């Protein structure tokens, strides 16, 4: 079953502008965690931000924030003041169930973001 | 800042050969994972490991795969007899069970099977 959906085609944003990358998820569990990772062209996976299903506030980490809408099952990543170095593939991932030993992540297909100077 | 390391960065092997991919997780982490990413596709879970045993494995992780933590620092993935379709980027990740259990990924090993 498709647990994470990222359907946007390649995204483009002008440097210094904000951009929203969409992610919807599917689970009937009440306890879960949502993660965003960045994968630049060099290939590594860089953790950006985390949102727990019971967290009442939207997560923020510097220029990254997560627009968490639980009823709509969406967890969109917002990048403010885009920089050229933000050009990369962005993956949304979900951990079903509470944090613990079996905390595998299920990833979406990713979204390519290109920042234009 | 502590980080997960992986060696080698690129491994080329012949079909049918055994390969061992090595990882050094972050030192105080307790949970270890392997994922793979076939070129241009999404990242897929292979196996999780805790307390010296496998916690969960995916259907990809068949009898050709094994994992081991041979000492206090290394975590290895062995593929016994590689197939062409094993060509992928293999990521090791580790986490420390706190409220978020964020998994931190290594830089990956690109495995090419000829």
């Amino acid at each position: 079953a498709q647990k994470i959906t990222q359907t946007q085609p390649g995204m483009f944003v002008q440097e210094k502008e904000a951009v929203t990358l969409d992610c919807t998820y599917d689970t009937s569990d009440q306890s879960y965690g949502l993660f965003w990772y960045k994968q630049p062209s060099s290939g590594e996976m860089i953790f950006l931000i985390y949102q727990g299903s019971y967290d009442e506030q939207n997560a923020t980490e510097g220029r990254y924030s997560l627009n968490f809408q639980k009823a709509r099952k969406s967890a969109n990543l917002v990048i403010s003041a885009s920089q050229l170095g933000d050009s990369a593939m962005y993956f949304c991932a979900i951990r079903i169930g509470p944090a613990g030993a079996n905390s595998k992540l299920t990833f979406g297909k990713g979204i390519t973001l290109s920042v234009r100077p | 800042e502590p980080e997960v390391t992986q060696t080698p960065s690129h491994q080329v092997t012949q079909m049918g050969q055994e390969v061992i991919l090595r990882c050094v997780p972050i030192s105080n982490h307790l949970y270890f994972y392997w994922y793979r990413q076939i070129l241009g596709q999404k990242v897929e879970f292979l196996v999780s490991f805790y307390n010296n045993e496998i916690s969960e494995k995916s259907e990809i992780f068949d009898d050709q795969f094994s994992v081991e933590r041979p000492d206090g620092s290394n975590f290895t993935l062995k593929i016994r007899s590689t197939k062409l379709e094993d060509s992928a980027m293999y990521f090791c990740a580790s986490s420390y069970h706190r409220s978020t259990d964020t998994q931190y990924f290594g830089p990956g090993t690109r495995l090419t099977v000829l």
Side-chain angles (χ1 to χ4, degrees), chain A residues 3-16:
Chain A
K3 292 193 174 69
I4 289 282
T5 302
Q6 296 180 265
T7 57
Q8 288 167 306
M11 293 286 289
F12 293 86
V13 66
Q14 205 66 33
E15 195 178 6
K16 299 181 185 174

Side-chain angles (χ1 to χ4, degrees), chain B residues 45-58:
Chain B
F45 168 78
L46 290 178
V47 65
S48 58
F49 192 86
Y50 168 70
N51 201 25
N52 280 321
E53 60 183 29
I54 290 173
S55 305
E56 185 177 0
K57 58 184 180 180
S58 72

Side-chain angles (χ1 to χ4, degrees), chain B residues 25-77:
Chain B
I26 294 172
S27 61
N28 66 338
H29 283 190
L30 302 175
Y31 300 86
F32 313 113
Y33 310 83
W34 285 99
Y35 293 83
R36 80 172 186 190
Q37 184 183 31
I38 294 172
L39 188 63
Q41 298 187 23
K42 63 180 177 180
V43 178
E44 301 174 289
F45 168 78
L46 290 178
V47 65
S48 58
F49 192 86
Y50 168 70
N51 201 25
N52 280 321
E53 60 183 29
I54 290 173
S55 305
E56 185 177 0
K57 58 184 180 180
S58 72
E59 57 191 28
I60 302 169
F61 194 89
D62 61 22
D63 292 344
Q64 293 300 312
F65 292 86
S66 62
V67 289
E68 192 178 32
R69 188 154 162 81
D71 53 44
S73 58
N74 290 282
F75 180 50
T76 62
L77 174 70

